[in-house]
Structure formats: structure tokens, C-alpha cells
Amino acid sequence: GSGIAVAAVRILATQVTRTMPAMSKLSGTVAGAAAAVLGSTAFLVTPQQSSSHVRSSRTTSEGSLRGASVVAPSSEGHCVAALGLGAAGLLSVASLASRRPTQARHSSVISTRAYDASNEIGACDPLLFWDPIGFCEGGSKEDFDRRRAVELKHGRLCMLASIGMLWPDVFGKFDGYLSPSQGLRFEDVPSGIYAVTKVPLEGWLQILLLAGLIETKLLGDKSFGGPGFAKYGAEPGNFGTGYWGRRIQDPAERRLKLTTELNNGRLAMVAMAGLLIQNGLTGQSPIDQWQSGHISPFNDGQGYFAQFDPSQELGACPPLGYWDPFGMMAFQDEAKFRRNRELELKHGRICMAATIGIIVPDLFGRFDGYLSPANGLKFSDVPSTIDAIYKVPVEGW
């Protein structure tokens, strides 16, 4: 009887497991329930135990109820009961486990979508939405707002800086002293990147403090602190000042003005980079370059790449004239030429003396006596070739 129960439980567990192959948790649960049911069969009465129990009961009952028939408890009944309990347990476990994966699937699926910036202001002709580096790929709305605020701020700064590169040379500088304690006048400060080295440190601290107060207090800019801390508002870069103090009501006109500002800022960033690089290479402000005809910083006799013309110096003579096959003087100044000329003269003088030293000993003879009495080395033992290096002792060199 117990063998039949065990077989039935195993078949039921196998069928439940096959119907749900994807539920690994359910398979484990069914296996555990089956093990519990199998363990319960250990408490069933075996046939030997039941027969002895019947004999003992018969012996005790014969004294009281003679002639009455006693029915022994059957192990098949216990097996059927255990089988029914096991089947009910398996079905309840299967029904509960079949519900859990559905809930897990619904709770674990989270869909994310990148912010589409192709319809924002700035996506205009001729490039439309142009993002070659992929800054907007996979980014959120907050990421775009932060980059747009940074782009607008850099563009506005570069527009002002471009004006500052031209204004002092066109309209003149302020009168008076920039730093009376150091005797520094405004006219002593060059127009360009070299002004950084002229303005004292205290002056730069004042400029930064004033710029910070304008941004935070006057304009109310809160885009400080980076991701997670900065606040960009509904429209990054909008400080509520309007267009020259006027509120633009027409949406089309407003979008056109904002696009114009953004594009002018982009142009100013590129222009400012070019102005600073050319100013650094030539040492001149843009107005100075135009006035002196120094349009190109390369090979026009001015600025960082100004070439010194050595063709008029001593040594440029027939038949080769100025001969520089290795380009030693390419893009070099006069100081570099003077150094090269000094080395050339020194090497030439040494080689002229060495040439005489290679020939004179064989023509006019060597000195008499010993070069190194301690080593027994005579002057006549030293050859008139490069092998003399190995003959002369270290102390002699």
C-alpha cells in the first residue's frame, strides 16, 4: 500500500513539474512537498505491525466479548488518506506558486527612454540636430537642461569677450591707474590674452567677485553645483530679464530670438578660440594684426612663427649660396641662428687644428723622449691616426 502511495505522489509531482518548466521555484516547492508526503509514510503501520496489533486486540477482546469479530485497521486506509493530503498540498502549492511569477514579472520590468532633444531650440538649418559626439544619446531631460545652461553661459561670455578683444583698440582705454599702488595704468594693459599677466591678483579677485554677485544676486542664476545640486528651472538660461526688458508674446518671434542668441553664442565661442590662439602666436591684438598687415601668423616675419632670414649672413656665398638642406633654421629666430653660428665656428676651429695634428707628425717628425715615463711610452710610439686614443694613458687625456 505504501509503495502505491509513493508511486502516485511521484507521478503527481512529475506532472506538476512538467506543466511548469519555466518555474524553477515551483519545481523546488513541489519537490519539497513530495518529500514531506514521502516522509509521512514512515508513520504508516506496516503489515507486520498491523497483524500483531490485531492478534493482541483479539486476545484482549476475547475475554470481554466472546464470539464478536474484530476488524483490524488496514494500512491501505492510511495510505489513501496520506495520498489525499499530499495531493491537496501539492495542488495548493502549485496554485500559489503559479501566481508569484506573474507578480514578479510585473514588478521587475522598468522601461526607460532617453530624452529626445531634436525638437529643442538650436536644431536649425543647415545642420539641424547636430550631435556628432553623442552628448544627448541616452541622456535625461535634466542632463539636457544642464548642457543647455552651460552652452548658453559660455556663449554669452564669449560674445562679451569678443567685444572686449576689439573695444580697447578701437575706442581707447580708460584714463588713470588700474593699480595706483603698483603704478599700473589702464593703457599699460595689452588687449588680449597677455592682459592676464599684467592685471594684479587682487584685480582678478575683484573681477571674479563682481561677476559672481551679478550672476547669483542680480540675475538669480541657480545653475551652480553640477548634477544633483543645480537648478535649471523650466527654461535653462532664462533669468526673467526679457529681450531688452521687453516680454515677447509671439511664440514664433520668441523662438527666433532664442535661436539667434544661441547661434551667435556658438559663433562667438569658435571666434574667441581663434582670436586667443592667434593673439598668443603673434603677440598682437586683432586690431594690431590688421593694422600691421599681419594677417597670417605663419612665415610673414612677425609673431611666434616669425622667421629670421639668414641668407644675408656670413657664410651664404657661391656656389651654393644659402644652403640649409636639413632645415636647421626653419621657423627659427635670430637668437637660434646666433647659437647655431657659435657652434659652427667652434666645431670648425677644432677640426682645423685636428686636421693639422693628423698630418704634422708624419711630415715634421715627433717629439723626442717619453710621453709617459712611468709606462715607458715614447712620443714615437704614438701613431698619427685615431689609434692614438688607445695609446695615450687616461692621465694624459
Side-chain angles (χ1 to χ4, degrees):
S2 60
I4 297 174
V6 171
V9 171
R10 288 177 178 174
I11 293 172
L12 180 59
T14 304
Q15 293 297 327
V16 173
T17 306
R18 287 179 179 176
T19 55
M20 303 175 186
M23 302 177 184
S24 59
K25 294 183 179 180
L26 177 59
S27 300
T29 306
V30 172
V37 175
L38 290 175
S40 66
T41 59
F43 296 95
L44 296 177
V45 182
T46 60
Q48 291 81 3
Q49 292 174 341
S50 63
S51 60
S52 61
H53 179 71
V54 171
R55 283 195 300 270
S56 61
S57 61
R58 284 180 180 176
T59 305
T60 53
S61 61
E62 283 179 353
S64 57
L65 298 175
R66 187 175 299 273
S69 61
V70 180
V71 180
S74 174
S75 62
E76 285 79 1
H78 292 285
C79 293
V80 172
L83 179 61
L85 291 174
L90 288 174
L91 291 175
S92 62
V93 170
S95 61
L96 290 174
S98 63
R99 298 173 185 173
R100 291 178 182 176
T102 304
Q103 297 175 355
R105 285 196 299 270
H106 286 297
S107 61
S108 61
V109 175
I110 299 175
S111 61
T112 58
R113 183 180 178 183
Y115 177 69
D116 183 13
S118 60
N119 295 322
E120 292 286 341
I121 294 174
C124 54
D125 294 330
L127 298 178
L128 299 178
F129 179 68
W130 193 61
D131 185 20
I133 303 180
F135 281 119
C136 295
E137 292 181 3
S140 62
K141 180 66 165 61
E142 183 180 0
D143 295 332
F144 174 81
D145 289 344
R146 180 176 65 85
R147 294 191 176 101
R148 174 50 53 87
V150 172
E151 182 184 24
L152 284 171
K153 182 175 292 186
H154 289 174
R156 291 164 179 171
L157 288 175
C158 287
M159 285 189 283
L160 292 174
S162 300
I163 297 174
M165 287 285 285
L166 304 175
W167 186 281
D169 293 331
V170 176
F171 300 100
K173 300 178 173 68
F174 294 115
D175 295 328
Y177 287 89
L178 173 63
S179 176
S181 60
Q182 299 185 13
L184 181 65
R185 304 177 66 90
F186 285 103
E187 60 185 17
D188 298 331
V189 180
S191 302
I193 195 172
Y194 293 103
V196 176
T197 61
K198 286 289 187 178
V199 178
L201 178 60
E202 297 82 0
W204 286 117
L205 293 177
Q206 294 175 18
I207 293 173
L208 292 176
L209 178 62
L210 178 61
L213 291 175
I214 292 174
E215 285 193 73
T216 57
K217 300 302 180 182
L218 181 62
L219 299 179
D221 186 10
K222 298 180 180 180
S223 59
F224 292 96
F229 298 95
K231 298 179 181 179
Y232 308 104
E235 189 176 32
N238 185 2
F239 303 134
T241 57
Y243 179 71
W244 298 104
R246 178 175 66 91
R247 302 285 181 177
I248 301 177
Q249 303 297 332
D250 185 10
E253 182 185 0
R254 188 173 186 274
R255 185 179 182 88
L256 176 61
K257 297 294 185 183
L258 293 175
T259 303
T260 302
E261 180 197 24
L262 193 60
N263 287 336
N264 288 345
R266 291 167 175 172
L267 177 61
M269 285 188 280
V270 177
M272 194 62 196
L275 290 172
L276 290 176
I277 292 174
Q278 192 159 349
N279 178 223
L281 293 177
T282 62
Q284 298 173 315
S285 67
I287 301 299
D288 291 336
Q289 295 172 37
W290 294 331
Q291 289 178 346
S292 63
H294 190 188
I295 306 302
S296 173
F298 303 100
N299 197 21
D300 62 352
Q302 303 181 63
Y304 185 81
F305 290 99
Q307 290 187 17
F308 173 72
D309 185 12
S311 62
Q312 306 300 322
E313 294 290 329
L314 296 176
C317 55
L320 296 178
Y322 174 70
W323 193 62
D324 184 18
F326 294 104
M328 299 291 291
M329 284 304 300
F331 298 106
Q332 301 298 333
D333 55 9
E334 185 177 1
K336 180 67 173 178
F337 173 79
R338 298 303 174 196
R339 179 177 178 275
N340 290 342
R341 174 52 55 87
E342 182 180 355
L343 294 175
E344 181 185 22
L345 288 172
K346 183 177 289 187
H347 289 170
R349 290 164 181 169
I350 292 175
C351 288
M352 285 188 288
T355 303
I356 296 173
I358 266 255
I359 299 173
V360 165
D362 292 334
L363 290 178
F364 301 98
R366 295 171 175 81
F367 295 112
D368 295 330
Y370 287 89
L371 174 63
S372 175
N375 295 326
L377 181 65
K378 294 183 176 182
F379 284 104
S380 59
D381 298 332
V382 180
S384 300
T385 60
I386 196 173
D387 293 329
I389 296 175
Y390 307 106
K391 287 288 186 178
V392 178
V394 175
E395 296 83 358
W397 288 112

